[in-house]
Amino acid sequence: MNIIPMRIEIMLAKKRMTKATLAEKSGVSRQNISTIVRRGTCSPITAGKLAAALGVEVVDLTERKEN
């Protein structure tokens, strides 16, 4: 599943969270989160875990929003 890496970075900044905190809350390793942000892909299940930990919908990580 393609994600928008910058979206995760922005959400982390807004929530004043580190990737380590996101890892704890999502159950996804910090190393895996770094890989996801670098590559821009992950499994749908992982996207769901990240979205839940960030308090957003999966679509907020995967789609570009129209203006």
Side-chain angles (χ1 to χ4, degrees), residues 27-58:
V28 176
S29 73
R30 184 188 51 75
Q31 293 85 356
N32 197 15
I33 291 171
S34 293
T35 300
I36 291 165
V37 170
R38 188 175 63 251
R39 292 185 183 169
T41 62
C42 66
S43 71
I45 291 171
T46 301
K49 289 178 180 181
L50 296 176
L54 290 166
V56 299
E57 298 293 323
V58 172

